[in-house]
């Protein structure tokens, strides 16, 4: 009798363990099946365009056209010289991308230097780039800042004013080859960099960095 009861208890316990295990597997599968967040990425790039030009962005994901100029994402010129576009990319993914300009005659101009890179936010929050089209070879930053960035030099200081209507990361490039640190300058704000000094090392350009 006791042997039979014990066997019944063992069968009941085994059944409960099997049920718990099944529920755990189902819960794990449900968690694994949850889609990753898909954040909205807004591309903003100041580009040197002419009448009839269109700016595009392409890159390493299908949403960006997988590096094909024919499948690249067109940007809007509504805020020119800053071109913009917003789209949804896979969450928590490293993305390589680059801007290009399609001329009115059908030719394609890719920006210079290496591919750009970013990691989309893993929590699904939105993300905005602040870029400048890199059309100058050999500069240490990401490209010459647009004309709405103005620099006034003196012996001691160089005042850089951002009149572009949007915040920018900016860097002063001196004639002797030295580059300043990268500063976040808000719209309508001014930052001071080193002046030309006794050796007249003038600021050659202000770069978007």
């Amino acid at each position: 009798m006791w042997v039979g009861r014990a066997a019944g208890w063992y069968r009941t316990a085994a059944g409960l363990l099997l049920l718990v295990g099944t529920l755990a597997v189902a819960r794990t599968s449900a968690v694994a099946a949850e889609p990753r967040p898909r954040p909205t990425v807004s591309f903003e790039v100041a580009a040197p365009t002419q009448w009839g030009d269109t700016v595009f962005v392409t890159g390493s994901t299908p949403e960006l056209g997988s590096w094909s100029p024919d499948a690249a994402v067109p940007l809007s010129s509504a805020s020119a010289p800053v071109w913009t576009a917003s789209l949804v990319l896979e969450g928590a993914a490293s993305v390589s991308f680059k801007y290009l300009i399609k001329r009115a005659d059908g030719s394609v101009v890719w920006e210079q230097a290496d591919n750009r890179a970013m990691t989309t936010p893993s929590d699904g929050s939105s993300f905005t780039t602040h870029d400048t089209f890199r059309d100058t070879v050999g500069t240490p930053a990401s490209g010459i800042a647009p004309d709405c960035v103005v620099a006034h030099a003196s012996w001691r200081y160089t005042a850089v004013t951002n009149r572009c209507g949007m915040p920018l990361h900016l860097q002063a490039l001196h004639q002797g080859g030295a580059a300043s640190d990268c500063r976040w300058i808000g719209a309508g704000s001014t930052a001071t960099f080193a002046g030309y000094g006794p050796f007249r090392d003038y600021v050659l350009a202000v770069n978007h960095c």
Side-chain angles (χ1 to χ4, degrees):
M1 180 181 301
W2 290 107
V3 173
R5 290 180 180 176
W9 292 337
Y10 282 127
R11 283 194 296 271
T12 301
L16 289 173
L17 289 174
L18 179 61
L19 177 61
V20 170
T22 302
L23 291 174
V25 170
R27 188 180 299 112
T28 302
S29 300
V31 171
E34 290 181 359
R36 290 188 300 181
R38 293 171 55 85
T40 297
V41 176
S42 297
F43 293 92
E44 295 185 359
V45 58
T49 54
Q50 304 170 1
W51 181 260
D53 292 348
T54 306
V55 181
F56 292 77
V57 61
T58 188
S60 58
T61 68
E63 297 95 334
L64 291 174
S66 300
W67 295 116
S68 170
D70 295 332
V73 177
L75 278 68
S76 169
S77 62
S79 301
V82 177
W83 293 67
T84 63
S86 296
L87 66 155
V88 176
L89 297 178
E90 290 292 342
S94 295
V95 179
S96 298
F97 67 101
K98 212 166 193 177
Y99 298 102
L100 58 95
I101 297 175
K102 293 185 180 180
R103 303 295 190 193
D105 61 4
S107 60
V108 176
V109 178
W110 289 83
E111 64 173 340
Q112 302 294 323
D114 297 333
N115 297 334
R116 300 177 183 271
M118 68 175 172
T119 299
T120 58
S122 59
D123 61 357
S125 58
S126 60
F127 179 81
T128 301
T129 70
H130 299 287
D131 298 321
T132 295
F133 192 90
R134 299 180 299 204
D135 60 348
T136 304
V137 180
T139 54
S142 63
I144 301 298
D147 292 339
C148 46
V149 174
V150 180
H152 295 283
S154 69
W155 184 89
R156 182 172 293 182
Y157 301 111
T158 298
V160 176
T161 303
N162 175 12
R163 299 177 180 174
C164 298
M166 60 180 292
L168 296 172
H169 282 101
L170 299 174
Q171 174 187 57
L173 178 65
H174 287 263
Q175 187 173 351
S180 72
D181 58 323
C182 190
R183 308 270 186 88
W184 179 252
I185 305 178
S189 299
T190 300
T192 55
F193 297 84
Y196 50 79
F199 300 104
R200 298 193 175 275
D201 188 13
Y202 290 97
V203 169
L204 180 66
V206 177
N207 287 353
H208 191 287
C209 52

